[in-house]
Amino acid sequence: MIDVLVADDEQPALDELVHLLRGDDRIGDILTASSGADALRRLSERVVRIAFLDIHMPGLLGTELARAFLSLAEPPAVVFVTADEARAVEAFELRAADYLLKPVRAERLRRAIDRVVELGETAVSGDEEAIPVTVGSAVRFVHRRDVRWVQAQGDYSRLHTDDGSGHLVRIPISELEARWTDAGFLRIHRSWMVRSAAVTEVRLSGAEPSVSVGAIALPVSRRLVPTVRDALLRGESPA
């Protein structure tokens, strides 16, 4: 069973969401809170799997509350439930599992719970990280396991995926390197990082060293040639 917290300072909205949640047979205990401070207090006493948060609450905003959850030993997945369409990108930068607009429909709520369950199952496999990206007017998730290489673009990074898409995210490549090195990603250049298992060809001699991912050749910094050689040729061979 999935225990949850619902935090909303508007009682009718809180009651309606609780009612919808009770209609999902996967949901166990439902804790409620009417403010950010109240939500933090409840979570200091009880671990829940999902926190459904309104964004505009007295005291702490829902986004501030989500940041505070990061200090918890077992932070819940966060689903924002709000009438404010403008905060979606900020919410997903906080790694929210979903973003629901009021009034919430039962089917849309079920899909949000499905997403939390899916992300939880992915975490068990070790490929848990999913990054929100904007596609037109929608927000979708790109899983780390689907990224083949990363290109730095100033303070942003472009994630190139298995399906040929390139998604721009507001995360510098240095941060992704720190987070993804242990997951098999290798920094090959100031502006490039590659998933080692995606490399199909290595050319490290000559004036323009490179590695290839399918038909795409990525430059290798001459300074990093020894590191790349050790990682790809003497360590894990390219797939």
Side-chain angles (χ1 to χ4, degrees):
M1 301 296 286
I2 300 173
D3 295 336
V4 304
L5 168 77
V6 179
D8 197 315
D9 63 316
E10 297 180 355
Q11 192 65 43
L14 188 150
D15 291 343
E16 175 63 17
L17 188 54
V18 168
H19 172 72
L20 292 175
L21 286 167
R22 293 200 188 284
D24 191 317
D25 57 13
R26 294 171 295 180
I27 299 300
D29 293 339
I30 302 176
L31 284 64
T32 61
S34 58
S35 68
D38 190 21
L40 279 179
R41 181 183 60 80
R42 300 301 303 272
L43 291 184
S44 69
E45 301 168 348
R46 174 77 179 276
V47 173
V48 300
R49 179 101 175 261
I50 310 174
F52 294 92
L53 308 179
D54 186 20
I55 286 185
H56 298 288
M57 292 187 292
L60 286 172
L61 293 176
T63 48
E64 295 170 332
L65 187 57
R67 289 189 181 92
F69 286 171
L70 298 177
S71 64
L72 297 175
E74 297 182 68
V78 171
V79 174
F80 288 104
V81 184
T82 179
D84 186 353
E85 298 183 26
R87 307 296 284 267
V89 172
E90 178 187 1
F92 283 118
E93 286 173 353
L94 292 168
R95 302 188 193 181
D98 211 334
Y99 192 91
L100 307 184
L101 291 175
K102 298 177 180 179
V104 178
R105 293 179 292 106
E107 179 56 33
R108 183 65 183 86
L109 178 60
R110 178 172 286 273
R111 291 206 307 271
I113 297 169
D114 289 342
R115 174 170 288 170
V116 172
V117 172
E118 177 187 350
L119 290 174
E121 291 172 348
T122 304
V124 174
S125 74
D127 287 319
E128 73 284 356
E129 185 158 2
I131 292 181
V133 299
T134 302
V135 181
S137 59
V139 177
R140 57 165 290 196
F141 288 92
V142 172
H143 289 274
R144 181 179 62 198
R145 64 176 180 268
D146 296 327
V147 177
R148 302 169 77 191
W149 75 91
V150 180
Q151 178 184 6
Q153 295 191 338
D155 291 333
Y156 290 72
S157 296
R158 189 170 295 279
L159 310 180
H160 295 268
T161 57
D162 288 336
D163 63 4
S165 301
H167 302 286
L168 192 66
V169 297
R170 194 166 63 182
I171 306 174
I173 196 171
S174 57
E175 181 178 336
L176 288 176
E177 179 186 11
R179 284 159 50 177
W180 289 7
T181 294
D182 290 342
F185 281 79
L186 176 66
R187 188 73 174 267
I188 60 172
H189 188 278
R190 179 181 63 182
S191 299
W192 302 90
M193 183 169 69
V194 67
R195 178 158 53 96
S196 298
V199 174
T200 55
E201 185 176 2
V202 179
R203 294 177 178 269
L204 299 181
S205 59
E208 297 182 352
S210 66
V211 299
S212 295
V213 179
I216 305 298
L218 306 176
V220 175
S221 167
R222 297 201 62 81
R223 176 179 62 84
L224 292 175
V225 163
T227 301
V228 174
R229 179 181 290 113
D230 287 345
L232 295 180
L233 300 183
R234 300 176 190 171
E236 298 180 0
S237 299

